[in-house]
Amino acid sequence: MKLTVLADLHYFDPSLGTTGEAYALRSGSDQKCLAETGAILDAAFAEIAASDTDAVLIAGDLTNDGERVCHEGVLKKLYRLKAQKPVYVTTATHDWCCDKNPRRFVEDRVFGDVETVSPAKLRELYYDFGERQASAVYTTHLGTVSYLVELPENVSLLVLNDDQNGKGKAGYKPAHLCWILQTVREQTALGKTVVAMQHHLLYPHISPLLTGGACCGDREELLEALSEAGLRFMFVGHSHIQHTARYVSESGRELFEINVGSLCGYPAPMVQVEITKDTVRIHTAFLKTFTYLGKTYDAQTYLQTHAVHMLGGLLDALATDKTAAAKKLAALEVKQSEQIVRKYWWFLHFAAVKLNGLTVEKAGAMLNRLPGGVKFKKEDLRALQNVPVLDLVYTVFCSILSGRTVASEKSESYARVLYTAGQLPQSVLCALPASKESVQRFCEALASAFQEIVYGSAPDNLQFETGRWQL
């Protein structure tokens, strides 16, 4: 049994506007692409259709923001793929515009008069992509569905809609959770391997500092309950990062959660799952090329450049012009952006200019004057003497998105400098006479996150193999 898992397609229909200042600000403030999504999906779906995969799983956020025209567009693409491979989807909050902010762009203006789709309507629209094939269905209080599909080779696919838990968070109301746990127990008792898929995370990947807000509510209880029920593999999306986490319950049961990155953003991952008699192998492939407006692009270069521009574009604006900086912050949904720029312009402008010209060697020499035992090695600073500090920032950002460790992509000196940067706040804090416990916890979490980003941890984010059954 071979499966391909995708997440966060965020299809954006060109009729919503792909030119002008308003669109440029919206596009430049997002890690994922907008206008190019149709071309990216076409390329990925063509590759999957020609592969030997047995089924395709898509873990929610199929559209940009629940616009009806985006649903109509992505459904056409899904039906073409379905003619070649079975496709199972769950919908998520972006598919019904939970923030009530649908937009279209005309020159320098943004309009909110875009028709969207209700949660209940999603069930009808995507009925052919899972519910029609289901052996069991649960209807949520929103009118969306969770469902079970029995696949060959004693594999059961449990597709879950976790949009609301009734307490203001993602997750499940009590009756829904009871249905999920009972279904997992029943399928496990029948000797089935249950592969589950939902949109939001159960587990705070890399660090709660980064993904704590992307998780379901009551995540600790959910993790324990699902793993104890017998669930072994969960595929999720939402955070747009590629990462694998392993949870072990109190009784020793393993649950692997594979967080699949956005297909329309760097690095456009397609997770391939091979289930044999006794093992499950996970391998992540990345989209190589796509053709947009008649031109073929290297997908990894194009998507990485777009993602990095989200950060670099803001710094460029802060280094040059007040008005541009305020517009950029507003596009990033920073509240009271004009007031912030007006009040703190001198500091923000000065910091952006200095940061744009700062090298690793200069920054390291300054930071080595701080108290604490952790210092950058002089040989590492010399090796990176001409490397801009911003290059390190962009490397960390891209590493988080891709699941590739810094150590696997860069030199040993580069990795050591970044690792030391993560340890530095904690080292300085320990050298001070007193500090708040909350600050200490933050510094410890930061150090742990940097260690993970630079050197990784088990299991590998991009490929690993494990036993199919609980020991």
Side-chain angles (χ1 to χ4, degrees):
M1 167 61 61
K2 293 183 179 181
L3 307 172
T4 299
V5 189
L6 310 174
D8 294 85
L9 309 186
H10 287 285
Y11 175 71
F12 179 87
D13 194 85
S15 67
L16 296 174
T18 60
T19 59
E21 182 187 15
Y23 170 77
L25 283 167
R26 172 69 183 88
S27 176
S29 63
D30 204 324
Q31 164 262 333
K32 64 184 187 297
C33 290
L34 294 178
E36 304 90 339
T37 52
I40 293 168
L41 297 188
D42 287 344
F45 286 3
E47 185 176 325
I48 293 167
S51 74
D52 63 350
T53 195
D54 294 305
V56 183
L57 284 55
I58 306 177
D61 278 359
L62 309 173
T63 63
N64 174 58
D65 217 355
E67 306 90 345
R68 178 175 289 277
V69 68
C70 293
H71 282 293
E72 292 169 350
V74 80
L75 276 165
K76 290 177 182 177
K77 297 178 185 299
L78 289 173
Y79 273 110
R80 285 199 295 269
L81 178 59
K82 187 176 181 294
Q84 304 294 322
K85 305 287 182 181
V87 180
Y88 305 102
V89 310
T90 187
T91 57
T93 48
H94 268 270
D95 296 317
W96 51 276
C97 196
C98 70
D99 62 359
K100 297 180 174 59
N101 188 30
R103 288 160 284 179
R104 62 183 180 92
F105 309 94
V106 180
E107 296 178 351
D108 62 346
R109 300 181 66 187
V110 180
F111 297 88
D113 57 346
V114 182
E115 184 183 2
T116 58
V117 171
S118 68
K121 184 67 175 177
L122 294 174
R123 180 177 189 176
E124 176 187 333
L125 288 176
Y126 293 95
Y127 180 78
D128 289 337
F129 298 93
E131 186 178 352
R132 181 183 290 278
Q133 297 80 20
S135 60
V137 175
Y138 183 91
T139 303
T140 74
H141 64 290
L142 292 171
T144 53
V145 295
S146 293
Y147 60 88
L148 177 74
V149 175
E150 297 176 32
L151 300 177
E153 307 301 329
N154 282 327
V155 176
S156 293
L157 172 63
L158 185 59
V159 179
L160 305 174
N161 187 291
D162 66 351
D163 284 351
Q164 285 186 4
N165 67 355
K167 296 185 285 186
K169 298 286 186 179
Y172 306 99
K173 284 194 168 186
H176 192 178
L177 181 58
C178 284
W179 179 84
I180 293 168
L181 297 176
Q182 184 62 28
T183 301
V184 173
R185 293 188 192 103
E186 289 174 354
Q187 295 300 304
T188 302
L190 291 171
K192 304 287 188 73
T193 296
V194 181
V195 175
M197 173 176 71
Q198 64 181 35
H199 183 65
H200 297 89
L201 283 62
L202 288 172
Y203 200 91
H205 290 244
I206 300 179
S207 169
L209 296 177
L210 287 173
T211 58
C215 295
C216 291
D218 305 318
R219 63 181 183 237
E220 291 85 0
E221 293 85 349
L222 266 177
L223 266 169
E224 186 68 16
L226 286 167
S227 57
E228 283 296 301
L231 183 63
R232 189 148 168 77
F233 302 98
M234 173 68 87
F235 292 88
V236 298
H238 188 55
S239 73
H240 294 197
I241 70 172
Q242 189 64 41
H243 191 270
T244 299
R246 172 180 171 267
Y247 175 78
V248 180
S249 73
E250 291 182 4
S251 68
R253 288 175 173 262
E254 284 184 318
L255 191 159
F256 290 92
E257 181 169 84
I258 298 89
N259 191 179
V260 184
S262 172
L263 184 60
C264 66
Y266 179 73
M270 296 174 283
V271 176
Q272 299 164 351
V273 186
E274 183 178 356
I275 304 173
T276 68
K277 180 182 178 182
D278 296 311
T279 64
V280 173
R281 301 188 186 100
I282 308 288
H283 171 74
T284 303
F286 302 113
L287 185 66
K288 293 182 176 63
T289 64
F290 68 95
T291 301
Y292 176 61
L293 298 180
K295 184 176 179 181
T296 300
Y297 294 93
D298 177 281
Q300 296 306 296
T301 301
Y302 189 99
L303 295 173
Q304 187 178 62
T305 300
H306 180 87
V308 165
H309 177 70
M310 184 177 76
L311 304 178
L314 174 60
L315 281 173
D316 289 344
L318 289 169
T320 54
D321 181 73
K322 275 185 181 181
T323 302
K327 287 182 177 180
K328 191 71 176 177
L329 285 171
L332 288 164
E333 300 184 353
V334 175
K335 295 180 180 179
Q336 299 182 322
S337 56
E338 289 187 11
Q339 294 92 318
I340 290 171
V341 170
R342 188 166 54 248
K343 187 174 182 179
Y344 301 106
W345 173 248
W346 183 88
F347 172 75
L348 293 171
H349 176 70
F350 176 81
V353 170
K354 289 298 182 183
L355 190 57
N356 274 328
L358 190 62
T359 64
V360 172
E361 185 179 41
K362 289 180 181 178
M366 289 188 291
L367 292 171
N368 275 347
R369 299 190 186 105
L370 294 172
V374 171
K375 304 291 181 184
F376 296 98
K377 293 184 177 180
K378 291 183 179 179
E379 58 266 33
D380 291 336
L381 297 180
R382 281 196 300 270
L384 304 181
Q385 58 183 327
N386 296 319
V387 175
V389 166
L390 286 178
D391 188 81
L392 270 68
V393 175
Y394 299 149
T395 295
V396 168
F397 181 51
C398 291
S399 178
I400 291 170
L401 294 174
S402 70
R404 300 181 179 105
T405 63
V406 173
S408 68
E409 300 283 303
K410 298 289 186 175
S411 68
E412 189 175 340
S413 289
Y414 203 107
R416 273 201 301 263
V417 164
L418 272 175
Y419 174 77
T420 303
Q423 310 301 308
L424 197 62
Q426 189 176 7
S427 174
V428 172
L429 193 67
C430 290
L432 298 177
S435 62
K436 291 183 178 180
E437 186 178 342
S438 60
V439 178
Q440 291 177 340
R441 289 198 301 270
F442 173 83
C443 291
E444 289 170 3
L446 185 67
S448 177
F450 264 79
Q451 181 173 354
E452 165 96 6
I453 293 163
V454 175
Y455 294 113
S457 63
D460 189 280
N461 294 327
L462 304 183
Q463 57 182 8
F464 72 95
E465 179 177 322
T466 187
R468 177 172 172 175
W469 312 104
Q470 293 278 6
L471 296 178

